């Protein structure tokens, strides 16, 4: 009863008080300590483990448990010791160049699988989406949260190759649902999974966030004179005298008349494919070789539609174009800020900087410039198109 008196129990008369004190003193020997090795009694060690010393020499040896055997713990801890952080002052010239190389950091990122193509690539070359609840409906949405925060633990991701073509294809007929990992399905459950939302403007929403993040990073480099080196052009003769060139930032566009003609050619290709599909479906009976009266066997499983003339894939989808220049015998990337960010963003960035009126600047090789160059690389890869 609260507030009442408490009756204290007396020691039992069957156990003398000195015996109780001895037992308590023995059991409380170094509280919280785990007995190991010789503290457990006489033992015998060899190169691999420890055995208890038994009175009967003919009896089978009894080894100590691995969690209590100091020999096993020391052998195992050799491979579990954390390495010391590298000291930049002790780097060799090659190690320092590797430490300042953005391509090395991109390739050294963890390898993960693209859920659209099932290709394993470094995370720096993939776009990651995470589930977040809608503020009003509370339905799960797949959003590029990693582009707006620096937090590392955002939940199970949905990754795919950072290309506009892949993002567009995933949005057609809910193709992204087939790429959901088991971790996302287990986390959301069946009811919430049916209500998951993929933004219709996802192919344009991702580069918008990438541009905002890139402008925020570039503002630091454009803030003070000396962090960027102005040059006349990205040509070799204009950048040869600059030390430690990592990439070249060009203010004008690199697009030519051939790029505009390529867009027209792409529209012609789409129209040709449309009419080819229409012709193949409308005249299936005439084009199917297995539909002839004298043919007795049926079409094989691999046969789906009749073959119609189409443009070769290598001509329809040529290699992507990434502009480079030669600096002291090696290639360095050339990025057009107008093509990546747009004329308005470039104008605002140049007006607030110390490089107003410059046509081209050089970003020097340094560790603090690696995040900026990785963002430039990711945005360039996302919007890259085939060469004319």
């Amino acid at each position: 009863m609260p507030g009442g008196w408490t009756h204290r129990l007396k020691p039992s008369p069957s156990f003398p008080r000195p015996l109780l004190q001895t037992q308590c003193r023995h059991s409380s020997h170094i509280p919280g300590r785990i007995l190991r090795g010789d503290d457990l009694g006489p033992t015998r060690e060899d190169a691999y483990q420890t055995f208890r010393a038994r009175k009967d020499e003919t009896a089978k040896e009894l080894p100590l448990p691995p969690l209590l055997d100091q020999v096993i713990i020391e052998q195992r801890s050799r491979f579990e010791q954390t390495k010391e952080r590298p000291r930049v002052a002790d780097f060799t010239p090659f190690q320092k160049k590797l430490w300042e190389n953005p391509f090395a950091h991109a390739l050294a990122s963890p390898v993960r699988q693209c859920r659209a193509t099932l290709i394993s690539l470094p995370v720096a070359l993939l776009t990651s989406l995470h589930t977040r609840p809608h503020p009003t409906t509370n339905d799960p949405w797949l959003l590029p949260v990693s582009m707006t925060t620096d937090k590392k633990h955002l939940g199970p991701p949905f990754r795919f190759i950072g290309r506009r073509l892949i993002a567009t294809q995933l949005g057609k007929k809910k193709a992204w649902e087939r790429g959901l990992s088991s971790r996302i399905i287990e986390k959301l459950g069946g009811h919430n999974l049916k209500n998951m939302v993929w933004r219709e403007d996802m192919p344009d929403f991702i580069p918008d966030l990438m541009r905002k993040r890139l402008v925020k990073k570039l503002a630091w480099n454009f803030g003070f004179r000396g962090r960027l080196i102005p040059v006349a052009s990205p040509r070799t003769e204009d950048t040869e005298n600059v030390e430690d060139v990592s990439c070249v930032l060009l203010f004008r566009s690199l697009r030519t008349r051939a790029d505009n003609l390529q867009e027209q050619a792409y529209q012609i290709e789409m129209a040709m494919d449309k009419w080819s599909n229409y012709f193949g479906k409308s005249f299936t009976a005439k084009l199917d070789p297995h539909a002839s009266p004298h043919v007795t066997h049926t079409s094989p499983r691999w046969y789906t539609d009749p073959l119609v003339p189409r443009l070769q894939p290598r001509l329809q989808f040529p290699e992507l174009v990434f502009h480079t220049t030669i600096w002291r015998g090696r290639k360095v990337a050339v990025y057009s800020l107008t093509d990546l960010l747009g004329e308005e963003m470039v104008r605002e960035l140049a007006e607030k900087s110390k490089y107003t009126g410059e046509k081209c600047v050089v970003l020097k090789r340094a560790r603090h410039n690696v995040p900026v160059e990785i963002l430039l690389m990711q945005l360039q890869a996302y919007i890259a198109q085939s060469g004319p």
Side-chain angles (χ1 to χ4, degrees), residues 36-45 50-54 64:
R36 292 189 178 94
D38 296 337
D39 295 334
L40 296 172
T43 56
R44 182 185 66 82
E45 296 182 0
T50 306
F51 300 89
R52 293 181 184 273
R54 307 192 68 175
L64 289 180

Side-chain angles (χ1 to χ4, degrees), residues 59-97:
K60 186 177 180 180
E61 291 183 332
L62 182 63
L64 289 180
L67 294 178
L68 303 179
D69 192 344
Q70 197 65 25
V71 176
I72 296 178
I73 293 175
E74 291 178 359
Q75 293 292 333
R76 187 180 298 170
S77 63
R78 292 187 310 167
F79 307 100
E80 296 178 353
Q81 293 179 355
T82 56
K83 296 182 179 180
E84 296 182 359
R85 295 182 64 86
R87 297 179 58 184
V88 182
D90 299 336
F91 280 179
T92 61
F94 175 77
Q95 289 176 331
K96 187 175 181 181
K97 289 183 179 180

Side-chain angles (χ1 to χ4, degrees), residues 2 19 25 38 45 53-54 90 92 116 120 125 140 149 176 191 207 225 258 274 277 281 297 311-312 350 379-380 388:
L19 181 60
R25 187 182 303 111
D38 296 337
E45 296 182 0
R54 307 192 68 175
D90 299 336
T92 61
S120 297
L125 305 180
T149 180
W176 54 271
H191 178 69
R225 180 170 291 276
K274 174 184 176 182
N277 295 331
K281 292 180 180 179
H297 64 276
L311 190 65
Q312 294 183 6
L379 183 57
Q380 175 71 20

Side-chain angles (χ1 to χ4, degrees), residues 189-216:
H191 178 69
N192 290 332
L193 188 62
K194 295 179 181 178
N195 299 330
M196 182 174 286
V197 178
W198 175 280
R199 290 181 59 123
E200 297 180 357
D201 61 340
M202 186 68 76
D204 297 326
F205 181 64
I206 292 175
D208 288 344
L209 295 180
M210 296 174 68
R211 291 187 182 99
K212 292 178 181 179
R213 192 175 185 182
L214 178 59
V215 169
K216 185 178 180 181

Side-chain angles (χ1 to χ4, degrees), residues 329-382:
R330 67 182 184 90
K331 291 183 178 181
V332 293
V334 177
Y335 299 106
S336 171
L337 295 181
T338 301
D339 296 338
L340 294 179
L341 304 177
E343 295 182 359
E344 185 178 354
M345 283 189 174
V346 174
R347 189 183 306 108
E348 294 179 357
L349 190 63
E351 290 176 354
K352 299 178 181 179
S353 68
K354 305 294 182 179
Y355 301 92
T356 305
E358 302 292 345
K359 298 180 180 180
C360 185
V361 293
V362 168
L363 190 63
K364 303 188 69 173
R365 188 182 69 241
R367 178 61 183 89
H368 58 268
N369 289 332
V370 169
V372 181
E373 296 185 65
I374 291 180
L375 288 176
L376 288 167
M377 184 195 319
Q378 291 173 343
L379 183 57
Q380 175 71 20
Y382 188 88

Side-chain angles (χ1 to χ4, degrees), residues 66-269:
L67 294 178
L68 303 179
D69 192 344
Q70 197 65 25
V71 176
I72 296 178
I73 293 175
E74 291 178 359
Q75 293 292 333
R76 187 180 298 170
S77 63
R78 292 187 310 167
F79 307 100
E80 296 178 353
Q81 293 179 355
T82 56
K83 296 182 179 180
E84 296 182 359
R85 295 182 64 86
R87 297 179 58 184
V88 182
D90 299 336
F91 280 179
T92 61
F94 175 77
Q95 289 176 331
K96 187 175 181 181
K97 289 183 179 180
L98 195 65
W99 188 57
E100 298 172 346
N101 193 317
F103 301 99
H105 284 270
L107 295 176
S109 57
V111 177
R112 295 296 182 264
Q113 188 183 61
C114 169
R115 303 303 300 177
T117 60
L118 302 182
I119 297 176
S120 297
L121 291 173
V123 173
L125 305 180
L126 302 175
T127 299
S128 301
L129 306 181
H130 297 81
T131 56
R132 285 296 179 270
H134 192 271
T136 56
T137 61
N138 208 30
D139 291 336
W141 286 54
L142 277 174
L143 299 173
V145 187
S146 57
M147 298 182 184
T148 58
T149 180
D150 294 332
K151 294 182 179 179
K152 298 182 179 180
H153 304 287
L154 300 173
F158 180 91
R159 295 189 175 97
F160 58 92
I161 297 177
R163 291 289 314 284
R164 182 189 295 271
L165 179 65
I166 303 296
T168 304
Q169 189 66 28
L170 286 172
K172 295 180 179 179
K173 298 181 181 180
K174 293 188 175 182
W176 54 271
E177 288 186 347
R178 297 190 294 270
L180 292 176
S181 62
S182 57
R183 295 175 57 194
I184 297 179
I185 296 175
E186 182 180 359
K187 179 181 178 180
L188 298 178
H191 178 69
N192 290 332
L193 188 62
K194 295 179 181 178
N195 299 330
M196 182 174 286
V197 178
W198 175 280
R199 290 181 59 123
E200 297 180 357
D201 61 340
M202 186 68 76
D204 297 326
F205 181 64
I206 292 175
D208 288 344
L209 295 180
M210 296 174 68
R211 291 187 182 99
K212 292 178 181 179
R213 192 175 185 182
L214 178 59
V215 169
K216 185 178 180 181
K217 292 286 186 180
L218 284 175
W220 183 85
N221 296 86
F222 279 83
F224 297 92
R225 180 170 291 276
R227 294 174 180 172
L228 301 174
I229 307 300
V231 291
S233 70
R235 293 181 299 181
T236 304
E237 53 269 22
D238 294 329
T239 60
E240 190 73 19
N241 298 328
V242 183
E243 298 292 335
D244 300 330
V245 175
S246 184
C247 68
V248 181
L249 304 181
L250 195 63
F251 290 98
R252 66 177 178 84
S253 176
L254 290 173
R255 292 177 61 86
T256 61
R257 291 186 57 188
D259 295 294
N260 299 330
L261 294 177
Q262 182 184 2
E263 294 180 358
Q264 298 178 10
Y266 179 73
Q267 298 298 329
I268 296 174
E269 293 173 7

